Amino acid sequence: MRLMISGGGTGGHIYPALALIDALKAHDKHAEVLYVGTHRGLESRIVPERGIDFKTIKIQGFKRSLSLQNFKTVYLFLKSVVTARKYIKAFKPDVVVGTGGYVSGAVVFAASQMHIPTVIHEQNSVVGVTNKFLSHFVDKIAISFESARSQFPEKKVVMTGNPRAQQVANIQKTGALKAFGLKDDVPTVLIFGGSRGAARINAATASAVPELNKRAYQTLFVTGQVHYDKIMDSLKTTALAPNVKIEPYIKNMPAILPEIAVILGRAGATSIAEITALGIPSILVPSPYVTNDHQTKNAQSLVNAGAAELVKEADLTATSLLKAVDGLMLSASRRDDMAKNAKKLGMPDAADQLLNVLETVIK
Ligand SMILES: CC(=O)N[C@H]1[C@@H](OP(=O)(O)OP(=O)(O)OC[C@H]2O[C@@H](n3ccc(=O)[nH]c3=O)[C@H](O)[C@@H]2O)O[C@H](CO)[C@@H](O)[C@@H]1O
């Protein structure tokens, strides 16, 4: 299969695309893949690192208010469609897949105009702007939450789950925490604010470090690349005990996740797919800054199933963070119950399901 794939901006759009590529390569040794992203998004760092062919397009998002910038956006969109057409003509894909972010809008739109089979993947329970636009042009729409179905043209929709779920579900424990100077036989809480880090989670965690230092459990605190220096600076006078480690970013999250007892983090859709595929108890702090508050809806689907706790960002302080983390880290039975409930929601064959969808549109 010749797959052209595009998804950009944040990890939540990029990792599902990479998981689909992995699954395709596992099934088809001769598969050829071209990833199209932007030079500014996280994808420009992550994708080439994996040895995947990567081309870029310049694009920007619409401002919600009427602004001169929007004229520039329309111009860049039309120009990016022209660039995408060139890439498509040269690569000759059998299918073009979009996993969200503005860049996928141009690439998938161009493909649909050239009558190439197209599929989009929606990770969220509330549909993103780009996918809403593309839904009118594509052949199939793969979803990860049932609640997304009614927001799309019904006949095109297939429930597949998020391919990243399959990627993490198939990884065994390898003692990966040792690489961070942590022990692999002590329960560990992973604290991170999505793929780009979250200032409020970082501030609460940094303030909680003196207490986390004293706990019998371990903490792996991931700040997000852009926040790292600021957090380390704020902790200049606070010694870190050996059970607390702080990192800017985890490159190989699938290797870490099977070792983690509890996650405290955002409720991004791809994080949720990972949490449920592995059955990891979680404390979710939805981002209040996303479209239609979709992270609260994502989180609620787990809370309703007894698979997670929700803490509102406005209520997150060092004290409430410690209370929630201690509550789970100090009770193996609560963790077991949550883990079982989380796993029931997991879709560990999502990448294969999505591959099937690609095969049906190619035929
Ligand atoms: C602020 C924002 O717009 N967030 C959106 C973004 O979130 P965001 O990009 O944060 O995406 P998710 O939380 O869904 O996924 C984060 C991904 O990054 C990975 N990771 C994270 C940190 C790290 O150090 N290393 C690493 O590999 C996680 O394992 C996961 O695979 O896209 C999601 C779509 O999927 C949406 O649901 C989120 O609302």
Side-chain angles (χ1 to χ4, degrees):
M1 183 188 296
R2 296 182 69 78
L3 167 68
M4 183 183 270
I5 191 157
S6 180
T10 69
H13 296 311
I14 302 161
Y15 288 112
L18 295 178
L20 178 66
I21 294 169
D22 273 3
L24 171 63
K25 289 192 169 162
H27 278 79
D28 173 1
K29 300 234 165 347
H30 305 292
E32 294 285 337
V33 177
L34 177 63
Y35 197 114
V36 184
T38 64
H39 66 288
R40 281 164 61 191
L42 207 52
E43 65 274 18
S44 64
R45 182 163 59 86
I46 301 175
V47 177
E49 267 176 17
R50 307 275 174 110
I52 297 165
D53 284 342
F54 181 68
K55 291 214 178 298
T56 58
I57 281 185
K58 199 171 173 192
I59 198 152
Q60 71 182 25
F62 281 94
K63 297 268 179 294
R64 286 189 192 275
S65 57
L66 195 62
S67 101
L68 272 180
Q69 278 294 321
N70 282 343
F71 289 101
K72 189 172 168 209
T73 305
V74 172
Y75 167 74
L76 280 178
F77 180 78
L78 297 174
K79 211 171 146 209
S80 61
V81 172
V82 173
T83 313
R85 287 180 74 99
K86 267 192 233 152
Y87 292 156
I88 293 167
K89 268 191 194 145
F91 182 72
K92 301 188 177 57
D94 296 316
V95 59
V96 175
V97 175
T99 57
Y102 299 115
V103 65
S104 68
V107 176
V108 175
F109 178 72
S112 73
Q113 300 304 298
M114 293 167 81
H115 307 290
I116 311 269
T118 46
V119 175
I120 50 174
H121 182 265
E122 174 59 63
Q123 298 91 39
N124 286 289
S125 50
V126 179
V127 170
V129 185
T130 305
N131 278 348
K132 189 98 196 167
F133 161 74
L134 288 173
S135 66
H136 303 290
F137 307 102
V138 296
D139 296 300
K140 287 283 176 201
I141 302 164
I143 58 168
S144 317
F145 285 91
E146 264 311 323
S147 49
R149 191 181 288 274
S150 59
Q151 301 163 58
F152 282 130
E154 209 191 322
K155 281 192 183 137
K156 296 184 181 180
V157 177
V158 189
M159 166 56 97
T160 61
N162 185 321
R164 177 75 166 185
Q166 183 167 335
Q167 194 179 35
V168 299
N170 289 328
I171 292 189
Q172 301 303 316
K173 285 190 178 190
T174 55
L177 291 177
K178 283 195 203 130
F180 299 94
L182 292 169
K183 296 187 175 148
D184 57 8
D185 55 354
V186 177
T188 303
V189 57
L190 170 66
I191 303 182
F192 73 109
S195 59
R196 295 192 292 192
R200 184 76 181 243
I201 293 178
N202 286 347
T205 310
S207 306
V209 163
E211 285 299 314
L212 292 168
N213 277 340
K214 297 182 205 157
R215 296 300 188 265
Y217 58 79
Q218 303 183 122
T219 303
L220 179 55
F221 169 26
V222 183
T223 61
Q225 200 77 48
V226 297
H227 302 275
Y228 183 73
D229 290 342
K230 190 177 160 208
I231 291 297
M232 293 317 277
D233 203 43
S234 75
L235 288 169
K236 248 190 339 224
T237 55
T238 312
L240 287 188
N243 65 320
V244 178
K245 299 289 172 197
I246 308 182
E247 291 289 325
Y249 193 78
I250 305 287
K251 277 193 183 168
N252 191 357
M253 196 62 107
I256 302 293
L257 291 176
E259 321 275 339
I260 296 298
V262 168
I263 286 180
L264 183 141
R266 287 296 196 207
T270 299
S271 291
I272 290 206
E274 294 165 354
I275 286 169
T276 54
L278 285 162
I280 303 177
S282 59
I283 301 151
L284 301 174
V285 185
S287 167
Y289 314 109
V290 297
T291 325
N292 294 326
D293 199 19
H294 69 251
Q295 287 202 1
T296 299
K297 296 187 181 83
N298 291 349
Q300 207 63 53
S301 62
L302 270 70
V303 174
N304 293 346
E309 274 177 27
L310 190 154
V311 177
K312 284 189 189 156
E313 172 164 301
D315 298 334
L316 189 71
T317 58
T319 310
S320 62
L321 179 142
L322 279 166
K323 188 167 171 242
V325 172
D326 281 347
L328 284 177
M329 291 306 287
L330 304 177
S331 168
S333 68
R334 281 192 66 205
R335 291 205 301 273
D336 284 350
D337 286 348
M338 256 193 187
K340 277 187 205 124
N341 293 336
K343 204 155 189 178
K344 279 186 210 149
L345 302 174
M347 299 197 61
D349 63 346
D352 289 344
Q353 300 262 8
L354 185 53
L355 271 183
N356 285 341
V357 176
L358 304 198
E359 270 152 22
T360 56
V361 299
I362 292 172
K363 278 172 199 154

